[in-house]
Amino acid sequence: MASLTRPNSFLRKALVFQTFISCGVAIIFPYGTSVGDTKLTSERSPEINLDPPFPYYGGKHQTLQVYEDGFITLDDTQARSAYLFDQLEVEFPSIVPWLARMDAGLSQGEITYRLTTNTTVLNEISAYSAKFVEFINFVPVYAFIAIWYNVGTAYYDNSTNNKVNSFQVLMTSDGSKSLVLFDYIRVEWVFFGDISFYTDYDGIENFPQFAIKTEVL
Ligand SMILES: *[C@@H]1O[C@H](CO)[C@@H](O)[C@H](O)[C@H]1NC(C)=O
Ligand SMILES: *[C@@H]1O[C@H](CO)[C@@H](O)[C@H](O)[C@H]1NC(C)=O
């Protein structure tokens, strides 16, 4: 999983937090423990310091945390649950490439991340982002890269519920602007029901399993 492979088909979205959305050719960064990633083995990572702080919706955020359930929080020390996103207002800064119940402890797939100042990576970002008019001459000082690689749902089992997704998120900044890229490398399953409905049941363990089987697109 160290090598960089380019998938045949994928969906890519770039979000720049100044009303900017773009679809185009993906840039997928090397990932995995062999390039220095830390593996997420629990619900969320420790706090990771961002210096300079990461500008995002008017705030400048000094830390982030990665959650197994496909989201990242900024300057937020509380443990959060994916189901909070089902509420009308999410009252904490977050970046959410894929919201679903996933499990970093499962044998299937892995979630890894790193904060890097590797000049090769930063130069690649600079060259790539220059195609966006807001980012001509963008010189990032760090890149935070996380991947959910071949992850199934939290209910993954090899025989019946064995679809996997891979997606990568990049967060990068020069101290005054921030750029976030989402790369959807492989999408085999989609569901939202486990997030939106399990609060209706008496605990997620009672949520009916049939409702959350994966679907092939
Ligand atoms: C920086 O990243 C490049 C491309 O991923 C890699 O080949 C190189 O080994 C990295 N350099 C260091 C010092 O980690
Ligand atoms: C699923 O398959 C993987 C790889 O073959 C294996 O390591 C793992 O134990 C299996 N998990 C289950 C729940 O059967």
Side-chain angles (χ1 to χ4, degrees):
M1 101 164 240
S3 65
L4 174 59
T5 54
R6 206 163 276 275
N8 292 331
S9 68
F10 48 79
L11 168 67
R12 182 190 156 275
K13 289 182 179 172
L15 301 183
V16 173
F17 293 104
Q18 295 175 343
T19 68
F20 180 76
I21 297 180
S22 168
C23 294
V25 176
I27 179 171
I28 300 168
F29 297 95
Y31 53 85
T33 49
S34 67
V35 295
D37 279 7
T38 298
K39 185 172 174 176
L40 184 67
T41 54
S42 59
E43 180 192 34
R44 59 177 171 148
S45 72
E47 283 182 86
I48 295 159
N49 291 319
L50 300 169
D51 183 18
F54 188 80
Y56 184 60
Y57 280 106
K60 290 216 167 184
H61 299 283
Q62 298 184 354
T63 64
L64 66 75
Q65 283 184 287
V66 183
Y67 281 72
E68 63 183 356
D69 284 349
F71 64 95
I72 292 169
T73 59
L74 292 155
D75 278 347
D76 186 77
T77 54
Q78 292 185 45
R80 300 297 190 175
S81 296
Y83 78 83
L84 285 174
F85 290 88
D86 192 36
Q87 300 175 358
L88 288 178
E89 293 178 33
V90 176
E91 294 180 343
F92 49 93
S94 50
I95 290 173
V96 187
W98 190 275
L99 186 68
R101 289 284 301 139
M102 291 174 278
D103 189 344
L106 290 182
S107 59
Q108 178 56 46
E110 61 183 30
I111 302 162
T112 68
Y113 58 87
R114 72 183 180 286
L115 182 67
T116 181
T117 55
N118 179 310
T119 48
T120 307
V121 172
L122 296 182
N123 288 342
E124 195 179 0
I125 293 168
S126 220
Y128 181 81
S129 60
K131 69 175 69 172
F132 308 131
V133 66
E134 298 88 343
F135 284 86
I136 293 166
N137 301 325
F138 180 62
V139 181
V141 290
Y142 57 76
F144 180 77
I145 298 166
I147 191 164
W148 285 253
Y149 180 80
N150 280 358
V151 290
T153 76
Y155 309 94
Y156 185 93
D157 73 71
N158 286 359
S159 55
T160 60
N161 196 4
N162 57 2
K163 306 304 179 190
V164 295
N165 292 348
S166 295
F167 51 95
Q168 187 176 67
V169 61
L170 164 75
M171 295 168 54
T172 185
S173 179
D174 65 357
S176 63
K177 284 185 176 178
S178 53
L179 176 69
V180 176
L181 300 179
F182 294 170
D183 271 304
Y184 297 93
I185 301 161
R186 169 187 283 192
V187 175
E188 292 184 345
W189 59 268
V190 175
F191 63 82
F192 193 69
D194 60 337
I195 302 302
S196 44
F197 301 130
Y198 76 67
T199 51
D200 294 343
Y201 293 83
D202 187 23
I204 193 165
E205 62 281 358
N206 296 322
F207 188 79
Q209 296 284 308
F210 65 85
I212 53 168
K213 290 295 183 188
T214 55
E215 301 287 343
V216 182
L217 290 181

